[in-house]
Amino acid sequence: GENVEQHPSTLSVQEGDSAVIKCTYSDSASNYFPWYKQELGKRPQLIIDIRSNVGEKKDQRIAVTLNKTAKHFSLHITETQPEDSAVYFCAAASGGGGNKLTFGTGTQLKVEL
Amino acid sequence: SAVISQKPSRDICQRGTSLTIQCQVDSQVTMMFWYRQQPGQSLTLIATANQGSEATYESGFVIDKFPISRPNLTFSTLTVSNMSPEDSSIYLCSARQGGNQPQHFGDGTRLSIL
């Protein structure tokens, strides 16, 4: 089955700096890669996703890049703000919209003032 | 996106008992899923809830322990049976509306077993 590795497990940045979280996956059939943000005690919320026919996708301060050959994808957050502090999970799935998500282990992002 | 409601939001149960968690979506969805998130950990898929048929379970999860129902396109239940302290976790329902729509999650049910 699919295996998703995520690094780093914790990340601390200064407000205004950029943050990068990286994931690798094992199943070459995976073609859908969402990122979820989970604040303490809250539900995971989708922040951005990318499909394998696209190499990069951007939404305001958030971008995701995908390298299919190397089987890795990354989340980039620019101009970080304190409200970006949360746990971020990457996931991988086959079947377009994500029939069966395999999650990474999560990254605790802390944005310091 | 669909609004997903779970009940109860939390519960404290005695070992050996069972609890049924409900998941209600405000619109018809093609797929519903149940995940477990142990404290400070990632999300692990328990099963896919299939409308009108038996759920599809992931490795390590069995129907006798986690029976699932999905009687229609907007509702599903997960029962945690014969609970032990190891079952203390957050149980999350998710749903996907079909096509290339992403999965969205409910608020989860925080379960503690004494």
Side-chain angles (χ1 to χ4, degrees):
Chain A
E2 177 65 278
N3 181 51
V4 178
E5 295 188 358
Q6 183 171 348
H7 299 281
S9 57
T10 61
L11 179 60
S12 184
V13 300
Q14 295 293 316
E15 183 180 10
D17 287 351
S18 295
V20 181
I21 302 170
K22 299 181 179 182
C23 289
T24 60
Y25 61 99
S26 61
D27 188 352
S28 57
S30 289
N31 57 7
Y32 174 68
F33 308 92
W35 286 87
Y36 289 85
K37 173 184 180 183
Q38 188 175 32
E39 297 177 65
L40 189 63
K42 300 291 182 65
R43 72 178 71 189
Q45 289 195 304
L46 180 74
I47 55 172
I48 196 166
D49 57 6
I50 191 168
R51 292 179 173 82
S52 59
N53 58 344
V54 175
E56 183 175 357
K57 184 177 178 181
K58 191 172 182 180
D59 183 2
Q60 299 183 341
R61 296 187 297 108
I62 295 173
V64 57
T65 58
L66 171 65
N67 183 327
K68 286 192 298 180
T69 303
K71 294 185 197 166
H72 67 70
F73 56 112
S74 300
L75 178 71
H76 304 254
I77 306 174
T78 59
E79 301 172 29
T80 53
Q81 302 166 3
E83 50 266 38
D84 295 328
S85 296
V87 178
Y88 291 81
F89 292 100
C90 64
S94 59
N99 284 335
K100 175 179 161 179
L101 293 176
T102 300
F103 281 84
T105 48
T107 297
Q108 174 76 61
L109 173 64
K110 183 176 182 181
V111 180
E112 298 177 333
L113 298 171
Chain B
S1 61
V3 175
I4 303 169
S5 304
Q6 278 186 242
K7 288 194 300 185
S9 58
R10 59 178 62 230
D11 207 340
I12 301 172
C13 302
Q14 298 294 321
R15 70 172 69 206
T17 62
S18 298
L19 179 76
T20 295
I21 302 167
Q22 298 181 3
C23 180
Q24 178 74 56
V25 189
D26 69 344
S27 59
Q28 292 186 347
V29 292
T30 56
M31 304 198 75
M32 297 181 74
F33 306 88
W34 289 96
Y35 290 83
R36 182 172 73 185
Q37 186 176 27
Q38 295 180 307
Q41 303 296 314
S42 185
L43 288 79
T44 301
L45 180 65
I46 297 172
T48 302
N50 301 308
Q51 193 263 329
S53 65
E54 193 171 287
T56 304
Y57 290 84
E58 297 302 307
S59 176
F61 298 96
V62 295
I63 187 171
D64 290 346
K65 177 66 175 178
F66 298 102
I68 288 170
S69 78
R70 190 178 172 196
N72 55 49
L73 292 176
T74 64
F75 186 77
S76 178
T77 66
L78 168 74
T79 298
V80 186
S81 304
N82 188 24
M83 290 183 285
S84 66
E86 293 72 39
D87 295 320
S88 297
S89 191
I90 299 171
Y91 292 86
L92 292 148
C93 169
S94 76
R96 185 166 81 83
Q97 287 183 295
N100 281 335
Q101 294 299 308
Q103 282 187 41
H104 294 283
F105 286 85
D107 283 331
T109 296
R110 186 179 295 271
L111 190 55
S112 298
I113 315 304
L114 302 179

